[in-house]
Amino acid sequence: MSAIPQALGADVRTQACPGGPLLVRGAEQVVALDGSVHDVLRPVVALCRCACSSRAPWCDGAHKMLPPARRPGAEDVR
Amino acid sequence: MQPTPSTGRAPGDLPIARGPLSRHVLDLLSGDPDVDGPLVDLDVSSDDPLADDDLQVALWTLYELHFRGFTGIDPGWEWSPRLLHVRRQLERVLLAHLLNAVAPEVDAAMAASGDLASRFFELCETYPGPSLSSVVGRQADRAQVLDFLAHRSVYQLKEADPHTFVVPRLDAVTKATLVEIQFDEYGAGRPDRVHQHLYARTMAAAGLDDAYAAYVDDVPAQTLALSTVVSMLGLHQRWRGAAVGHLAAVEATSSLPCRLYAAGVRRVGLPDEVATFFDEHVEADAVHEQLAVRDVCGSLVRAHPELERDVLLGAALCLHTEVRFAEMLLAAWADGSTAPTGRAERVPA
């Protein structure tokens, strides 16, 4: 399974969505796979785990275009 | 920016009647709600309540009393037994039709294997109907994209409000997650990011009337139903499970279509600012769909297993009204109609 973006913050809580993104609460910044740093402007953000998002590091729902077997699994959490 | 044209309808104006039911409601509203009057039984029979302009205008007007109300109309009408008696008759007809229309899909989702979240997403991803977003994204011309924006404004300018009515009807855990979503819908503390406001900016940037309900007299029943069906669910404690399911289905069918809507807006050469609303929803709703399906619906059904069918029902009602809207709009475009005004057949007042 591909790498996922890193969430930075003092009290980061995560929740993996089977077949979908990683939900993150409490993050202040997110580091994308290309090293770029993004400020978090929402109370909860969804980080792409399928590497198909057109708005990486954020999820854009693109995992739904993948066949279910190729979507990210619930076990793939740091 | 060019001046925004007006449809001639000011916010707070009553809609134009389109038949005896809406005429009856408007006639009542011109009077005094504190004067007792008879509870009138109306002929509310309708072959297809989702395509019935008169019924939908009457219901939209009745529900609007619970939202913004009307200029010069006594707000006391909101809880008038005479109006509630009318509303109940209309809702019964609409509900009977809707429950029948979506029963096969709801039954299948109840019977399918897997947890609620996987069955919920499956229902949303496989619901039968045309893809309006594909047409807007890839084929629609400029006039059709503008038409689409005008139709959607009837709901989008009150986006999130009907679902907010359900908040006090939920347990703490469900409530906490729902409000997390609604907080984002209402701009997360920044008034300029309120989604309703983002849509108004989309309308103005597209050169359309950005006023609340500006196009209500110009759109047909199927467009009004996008607002009335969710208002019915939100206003009835009895339908709290369906209201929550409706919200989750809105979120679960938003990210990918909004990417196509934004692409369509840019493809026909409309300003970038018109696409901002859709860009925002690609990202926001990728979060909201997970929260709404897994945490809001999930926690509700864990605490109240008897509401599982209502949650799936609410989702199916959202999907069904969207399909009816898409079919109406695509049929109008196939007939060569792209005017965001004057499509509805009016019955002279």
Side-chain angles (χ1 to χ4, degrees):
Chain A
M1 191 60 69
S2 51
I4 60 173
Q6 296 290 309
L8 307 177
D11 179 28
V12 173
R13 288 156 292 146
T14 63
Q15 176 186 353
C17 302
L22 184 74
L23 295 186
V24 178
R25 291 177 172 84
E28 290 158 19
Q29 290 183 316
V30 166
V31 183
L33 295 182
D34 65 4
S36 58
V37 179
H38 302 257
D39 288 339
V40 170
L41 301 173
R42 302 176 190 285
V44 192
V45 290
L47 303 186
C48 173
R49 295 198 299 157
C50 72
C52 295
S53 175
S54 63
R55 298 178 72 84
W58 318 117
C59 169
D60 72 348
H63 54 272
K64 293 182 192 176
M65 311 293 278
L66 296 171
R70 289 194 48 217
R71 298 181 191 181
E75 71 285 355
D76 184 40
V77 191
R78 290 163 298 159
Chain B
M1 186 184 297
Q2 58 191 322
T4 303
S6 170
T7 58
R9 183 185 186 280
D13 282 357
L14 286 167
I16 296 168
R18 298 194 211 172
L21 300 174
S22 45
R23 181 79 266 155
H24 179 78
V25 169
L26 295 181
D27 284 348
L28 281 176
L29 289 176
S30 68
D32 180 348
D34 293 324
V35 173
D36 288 336
L39 303 184
V40 178
D41 291 330
L42 300 164
D43 176 12
V44 293
S45 59
S46 179
D47 294 339
D48 184 356
L50 289 178
D52 188 324
D53 279 5
D54 184 30
L55 183 145
Q56 290 294 334
V57 170
L59 258 185
W60 183 87
T61 307
L62 292 166
Y63 289 138
E64 195 54 29
L65 293 165
H66 299 278
F67 291 93
R68 310 279 182 101
F70 298 101
T71 308
I73 297 300
D74 190 326
W77 278 112
E78 182 184 4
W79 296 107
S80 155
R82 292 153 72 191
L83 275 189
L84 293 177
H85 183 69
V86 174
R87 206 181 89 180
R88 181 160 169 261
Q89 296 172 71
L90 301 176
E91 286 176 335
R92 278 182 172 172
V93 170
L94 178 60
L95 254 177
H97 175 86
L98 289 170
L99 294 178
N100 187 52
V102 302
E105 279 76 19
V106 178
D107 290 342
M110 282 294 286
S113 59
D115 62 8
L116 177 66
S118 59
R119 284 182 289 131
F120 195 101
F121 281 118
E122 177 80 6
L123 173 66
C124 293
E125 288 170 35
T126 60
Y127 202 86
S131 174
L132 182 59
S133 58
S134 295
V135 175
V136 171
R138 300 187 177 113
Q139 299 163 30
D141 62 26
R142 187 184 173 100
Q144 289 167 340
V145 172
L146 291 172
D147 192 28
F148 166 77
L149 294 173
H151 277 271
R152 284 234 74 107
S153 69
V154 173
Y155 173 70
Q156 300 302 160
L157 292 173
K158 66 164 40 161
E159 184 186 4
D161 290 343
H163 296 117
T164 300
F165 279 121
V166 81
V167 173
R169 298 170 180 156
L170 304 171
D171 298 338
V173 175
T174 308
K175 188 178 283 182
T177 319
L178 176 57
V179 171
E180 204 170 34
I181 295 170
Q182 297 299 81
F183 183 59
D184 211 26
E185 294 282 341
Y186 291 126
R190 292 168 299 165
D192 63 314
R193 298 297 296 173
V194 175
H195 286 183
Q196 299 169 1
H197 182 74
L198 287 182
Y199 201 82
R201 293 211 324 245
T202 282
M203 293 292 280
L208 296 164
D209 191 338
D210 62 353
Y212 182 79
Y215 290 91
V216 79
D217 288 326
D218 305 305
V219 298
Q222 292 90 338
T223 306
L224 296 171
L226 297 178
S227 175
T228 58
V229 170
V230 64
S231 298
M232 175 171 67
L233 302 180
L235 285 165
H236 286 266
Q237 196 269 356
R238 185 255 174 276
W239 292 116
R240 63 196 183 284
V244 159
H246 186 287
L247 170 81
V250 169
E251 305 291 0
T253 54
S254 176
S255 280
L256 294 173
C258 280
R259 197 164 79 179
L260 287 165
Y261 293 138
V265 161
R266 293 191 168 96
R267 184 177 50 74
V268 300
L270 287 165
D272 231 31
E273 197 179 1
V274 179
T276 304
F277 172 88
F278 300 106
D279 290 338
E280 159 69 13
H281 280 69
V282 171
E283 212 174 280
D285 291 347
V287 182
H288 294 175
E289 68 174 341
Q290 302 294 342
L291 295 174
V293 174
R294 297 178 193 284
D295 294 349
V296 180
C297 296
S299 66
L300 180 73
V301 172
R302 274 192 299 278
H304 305 278
E306 74 280 6
L307 292 180
E308 178 174 310
R309 194 173 203 286
D310 282 355
V311 167
L312 294 166
L313 169 68
L317 293 180
C318 170
L319 300 163
H320 181 71
T321 49
E322 287 288 347
V323 165
R324 293 297 307 272
F325 168 71
E327 288 173 344
M328 174 281 298
L329 200 58
L330 293 172
W333 291 352
D335 283 347
S337 168
T338 51
T341 58
R343 178 170 298 139
E345 289 247 351
R346 305 272 175 75
V347 175

